[in-house]
Amino acid sequence: MRKPIIAANWKMNKTLLEATSFIEQVKGEVLPKSKVDSVVCPPALFLAQLVELVKNSDLEISAQNMHFEESGAFTGEISPKALEDIGVKYVIIGHSERREMFNETDETVNKKVLAAFNYHLTPIVCVGETLQQYEKGETKRIVGSQVKMAFAGLTEQQVKQAIIAYEPIWAIGTGKSSTAKAANEVCGYIRRVVAEQFSKEAAESIRIQYGGSVKPENIKEFMSEPNIDGALVGGASLEAQSFLQLLEAGCNG
Ligand code: 13P
């Protein structure tokens, strides 16, 4: 059985005080780690402090991005080595906002995924189609190729530990989520791609999240689908009570 993983992607939101107060409200209330991985992805500025705050709790901290080099002349970038050093466990890679606004490509995504494993970080690799691609019926072709490129050069063992987040771009921040059935079909297709590229065991082990307008009211529908193991949530993860409701409805309901 794959353990569910629910992650709060805060994007560029919250001040330090807002971030720490969220963690204080949530950390004693989340479900046990044995049941679900509960992950918070704050802005990079707060990572070190939040890692300290969640020690001895069932919460874990993820970065939202990083560079693929460990050090050097990359002004403003985040080193994977430094993330490992402060105790970060996960890193989101290739979010569509980074692909669209910060020129990330399938090649840089692949380099970052390889670097994540070099520094013992679990990558949450984002894939998803644009509205135009969706309307043209190109979803599977696009998502399949994003997955293949992201995982090039990985070992089967690494793929088993990776997380994929399927986030249709037209569903992000729009309030217009995919249907659970359609999302499940794409996630099932992603498993077939992983099975072809690596093995059936890798396809069965890898955890796949759905993201895009997930809310406490609809998370259960997604989590009930056989190929969906979790959610990557933006807007509805910003309030402590809403995040707790997502965990409760997604994993206990
Ligand atoms: P929303 O939940 O706000 O649609 O954002 C989804 C997302 O991009 C998570 O990474």
Side-chain angles (χ1 to χ4, degrees):
M1 266 311 279
R2 297 182 295 262
K3 201 207 294 188
I5 173 162
I6 312 254
N9 178 9
W10 286 354
K11 309 189 180 184
M12 197 178 72
N13 290 292
K14 294 193 187 294
T15 60
L16 179 58
L17 186 60
E18 288 163 353
T20 53
S21 129
F22 177 107
I23 299 291
E24 294 295 2
Q25 287 175 68
V26 160
K27 74 175 181 185
E29 306 288 327
V30 293
L31 301 170
K33 215 180 269 186
S34 55
K35 193 170 163 108
V36 51
D37 286 324
S38 308
V39 183
V40 173
C41 321
L45 272 176
F46 317 141
L47 284 168
Q49 204 150 341
L50 296 203
V51 166
E52 290 305 312
L53 268 185
V54 302
K55 275 199 176 138
N56 304 316
S57 83
D58 291 300
L59 271 178
E60 264 162 341
I61 300 296
S62 170
Q64 297 176 10
N65 174 41
M66 64 174 203
H67 200 278
F68 47 83
E69 295 288 350
E70 77 163 42
S71 63
F74 302 104
T75 302
E77 285 295 331
I78 301 161
S79 152
K81 187 179 180 193
L83 290 178
E84 179 189 24
D85 182 59
I86 61 170
V88 168
K89 289 285 182 294
Y90 296 86
V91 57
I92 299 176
I93 291 178
H95 191 281
S96 58
E97 286 152 16
R98 298 213 54 88
R99 292 181 192 249
E100 291 196 323
M101 292 185 274
F102 303 98
N103 303 320
E104 294 212 8
T105 62
D106 287 328
E107 286 75 25
T108 59
V109 167
N110 178 237
K111 286 183 180 176
K112 290 181 180 199
V113 172
L114 290 164
F117 281 110
N118 282 340
Y119 294 96
H120 308 100
L121 302 163
T122 300
I124 301 175
V125 183
C126 299
V127 296
E129 80 284 8
T130 63
L131 180 60
Q132 208 185 16
Q133 290 162 341
Y134 169 72
E135 284 171 345
K136 283 197 196 152
E138 294 177 343
T139 299
K140 287 182 182 166
R141 185 178 66 77
I142 296 293
V143 167
S145 118
Q146 288 173 331
V147 169
K148 271 190 213 150
M149 307 261 300
F151 284 174
L154 259 64
T155 66
E156 183 188 349
Q157 215 39 46
Q158 289 171 329
V159 172
K160 285 184 180 174
Q161 288 158 30
I163 318 278
I164 292 179
Y166 167 54
E167 301 202 303
I169 296 171
W170 47 270
I172 295 179
T174 57
K176 205 173 87 178
S177 59
S178 166
T179 65
K181 289 270 171 284
N184 183 62
E185 189 175 328
V186 179
C187 294
Y189 177 73
I190 291 172
R191 281 190 209 285
R192 293 204 291 281
V193 169
V194 172
E196 271 173 32
Q197 194 181 5
F198 294 91
S199 67
K200 200 159 176 283
E201 294 73 50
E204 275 163 16
S205 302
I206 192 167
R207 291 185 289 173
I208 307 180
Q209 299 174 307
Y210 167 76
S213 299
V214 175
K215 305 181 274 273
E217 302 79 56
N218 65 12
I219 190 166
K220 193 170 163 40
E221 280 169 56
F222 290 101
M223 300 291 290
S224 314
E225 293 292 334
N227 285 308
I228 300 178
D229 308 310
L232 184 57
V233 189
S237 75
L238 288 168
E239 296 298 328
Q241 285 317 311
S242 176
F243 181 62
L244 290 172
Q245 284 165 15
L246 285 162
L247 292 171
E248 184 66 30
C251 305
N252 250 0

